[in-house]
Amino acid sequence: MDFYSHIYEQDTEIYEALVGEDKREADGLELIPSENYVSRAVKEAMASSLTNKYSEGYPGKRYYGGQEFTDKVEVLAIDRAKRLFNAVYANVQPLGGANANIAMYFALLEPGDTILGMDLSHGGHLTHGHPVTYLTKIFNFVRYKMKDIETGEIDYDQMRKTAKEIKPKIVLAGYSAYPRELDYAKFVDIAREVGAVAVMDIAHIAGLIAGGAAKNPFDYGFDLMTTTTHKTLRGPRGGMILTRDSEDLAKRIDKTLFPGLQGGPHMHQIAAKAVSFKEALQPSFKTYASQVVANAAAMADVYKAGNVRMITGGTSNHLILADVYGSLGVTGDEAEKLLDEAGITLNKNMIANDPRRPMDPSGIRFGTPAMTTRGLTEADSRRVAELMLEVLTKKTPPPRAKEEVIAIARAHPIHERF
Ligand code: DSN
């Protein structure tokens, strides 16, 4: 436990919590689709001296001295991000995905302007206009939905009709609980027809895009993308904004983020982003990204064979949304707790048109980014899915389920590969 030797000396309570979390991660199977395991190199950058430094501004234009190394770090992060996503501009300072989306709205809109985004209950994100967010006090969000929950097809005709009526300034694609690819060309067509900026929130699938296992929305004409860096992209917790070709948009984003919204950038986090982007530029990351998708498909096969309803009928990306209440009579909350007891972590989730409540919905959401990092393949993924269904069907996790989970986890150490 060398990594924590100083914490051990001076703060036993935090030391115990850190060691406990390390053990939980090592011995459990992490299926929350927005989580991953960073490399040791990314962790080292997060723990570096750059956490001490204030660097308000941007490379070459800072408000504080001593920026010789911070500038180097931020320029490298920006260059690598641009290469990963074929972008002309990247701002790597957003502290998280929500911050990136908030900056994007303030850069592109005036108060009262309208955004057309995906409904949360159909897969969208809180920051895409859910009424509980303060964003809805400032901007006018109108939401689109799926036409067919069983296939995941978006109602593009209705979207076009709505867009013509409400004249949004932003047509927003992207999601946090949608298992299919979107028809990007249709989004861009609709945005162009009404003079809106086409924005895609790629937070969940950034790693799949970077690794070539999902389409790049920039190839279809999207103007701007926001993302987190810690999900499929496997970097540190954080956010980022990218543009395809507009210098003007880029300048507006820079100014809005700082000094408009944030203070000093977290330079240790930016160094860690740079390290993870270099990892994602390697050929091995392509193998990783396609394995994430193959593993999710293998799990969906088992759910399908077990007659468990999946929203959109399965998956084309890294995540699955299963209607466990409708199919197995166990609520999302019960399922989350039962699986937790067996050492499998995932999250309860509302499904489209859910008759239940957010704290105890009908669904569970799970995915493969973290377990694929550990080296699990399709056969392991099928076995994990079978174990999940066994636990959910019996409604009491048999002790051997937890033993098997621990055995699978220990056979695939988190940092064996990098
Ligand atoms: N919390 C993230 C997720 O789990 O998808 C989104 O913000």
Side-chain angles (χ1 to χ4, degrees):
M1 229 26 88
D2 278 341
F3 195 66
Y4 301 134
S5 60
H6 296 86
I7 303 177
Y8 177 75
E9 290 295 324
Q10 71 188 57
D11 191 336
T12 325
E13 289 148 297
I14 290 295
Y15 172 79
E16 281 170 4
L18 295 180
V19 172
E21 174 63 11
D22 280 345
K23 186 165 164 45
R24 188 192 71 80
E25 291 189 15
D27 283 353
L29 288 177
E30 184 53 71
L31 298 192
I32 293 175
S34 46
E35 293 188 14
N36 214 326
Y37 306 110
V38 296
S39 68
R40 288 187 173 112
V42 169
K43 273 192 179 174
E44 281 176 6
M46 283 299 279
S48 68
S49 310
L50 285 172
T51 196
N52 299 329
K53 190 75 196 102
Y54 258 127
S55 312
E56 280 96 330
Y58 291 98
K61 289 170 283 177
R62 308 272 192 192
Y63 289 84
Y64 290 72
Q67 306 295 344
E68 184 184 350
F69 301 106
T70 51
D71 275 4
K72 185 170 178 192
V73 161
E74 189 165 347
V75 166
L76 279 168
I78 290 169
D79 285 350
R80 291 171 185 173
K82 291 194 313 200
R83 277 165 61 202
L84 273 177
F85 295 98
N86 205 11
V88 299
Y89 155 87
N91 188 313
V92 295
Q93 293 194 5
L95 304 180
N99 311 55
N101 280 343
I102 292 166
M104 175 270 290
Y105 293 136
F106 278 96
L108 302 182
L109 304 174
E110 295 297 328
D113 280 349
T114 299
I115 300 122
L116 183 58
M118 195 186 220
D119 197 274
L120 180 81
S121 69
H122 283 231
H125 187 251
L126 279 175
T127 57
H128 297 180
H130 193 276
V132 297
T133 63
Y134 287 113
L135 288 167
T136 57
K137 291 186 196 292
I138 302 167
F139 306 116
N140 174 36
F141 288 89
V142 177
R143 292 183 292 273
Y144 57 84
K145 294 185 169 181
M146 287 181 269
K147 176 160 74 179
D148 183 351
I149 299 167
E150 306 313 320
T151 64
E153 195 189 343
I154 303 287
D155 197 341
Y156 292 104
D157 293 337
Q158 182 57 45
M159 226 183 119
R160 172 173 277 108
K161 216 171 132 225
T162 309
K164 283 185 169 161
E165 280 162 23
I166 62 166
K167 306 246 179 310
K169 292 271 170 59
I170 293 174
V171 169
L172 177 62
Y175 43 79
S176 56
Y178 179 74
R180 299 292 183 186
E181 277 207 300
L182 298 167
D183 188 336
Y184 293 138
K186 287 211 169 97
F187 275 90
V188 172
D189 274 356
I190 294 170
R192 298 279 184 269
E193 254 179 70
V194 299
V197 182
V199 177
M200 169 79 184
D201 177 345
I202 60 167
H204 260 261
I205 57 167
L208 305 184
I209 295 169
K215 297 179 291 191
N216 185 343
F218 280 160
D219 294 342
Y220 296 80
F222 269 83
D223 303 297
L224 186 147
M225 302 202 291
T226 60
T227 186
T228 54
T229 46
H230 50 272
K231 298 185 173 96
T232 46
L233 192 52
R234 210 164 64 185
R237 192 153 294 276
M240 176 160 68
I241 303 173
L242 305 144
T243 70
R244 182 173 54 91
D245 64 3
S246 166
E247 287 292 325
D248 169 54
L249 279 185
K251 281 194 191 120
R252 274 148 72 188
I253 294 285
D254 277 353
K255 218 167 79 183
T256 305
L257 198 74
F258 178 82
L261 289 168
Q262 286 189 176
H266 293 186
M267 293 310 303
H268 60 305
Q269 187 196 41
I270 291 176
K273 286 175 185 172
V275 172
S276 68
F277 297 163
K278 183 165 182 184
E279 290 171 358
L281 283 163
Q282 306 310 310
S284 57
F285 198 80
K286 284 200 183 326
T287 314
Y288 165 71
S290 56
Q291 190 66 53
V292 167
V293 175
N295 284 351
M299 295 186 91
D301 285 347
V302 173
Y303 269 65
K304 193 165 191 173
N307 292 319
V308 180
R309 176 177 178 242
M310 287 171 285
I311 303 306
T312 79
T315 183
S316 316
N317 58 23
H318 63 300
L319 73 84
I320 291 166
L321 190 55
D323 176 8
V324 285
Y325 185 68
S327 305
L328 303 168
V330 51
T331 70
D333 191 50
E334 287 164 352
E336 182 187 297
K337 292 194 167 93
L338 283 168
L339 290 163
D340 230 355
E341 276 179 56
I344 293 174
T345 314
L346 46 64
N347 64 281
K348 53 181 168 282
N349 214 97
M350 293 286 274
I351 57 172
N353 306 338
D354 202 324
R356 299 185 59 83
R357 295 162 294 117
M359 285 312 284
D360 195 9
S362 299
I364 53 172
R365 184 189 71 150
F366 58 96
T368 52
M371 59 183 250
T372 306
T373 292
R374 293 179 88 138
L376 274 74
T377 56
E378 286 97 319
D380 308 306
S381 306
R382 274 191 287 275
R383 183 63 198 138
V384 174
E386 283 164 9
L387 272 171
M388 290 168 78
L389 290 189
E390 196 184 329
V391 169
L392 295 179
T393 311
K394 292 202 168 118
K395 300 190 175 52
T396 0
R400 83 178 156 66
K402 176 133 195 178
E403 281 160 25
E404 191 172 339
V405 165
I406 293 176
I408 296 171
R410 289 191 181 163
H412 299 88
I414 293 171
H415 286 127
E416 191 176 54
R417 283 163 185 76
F418 65 141

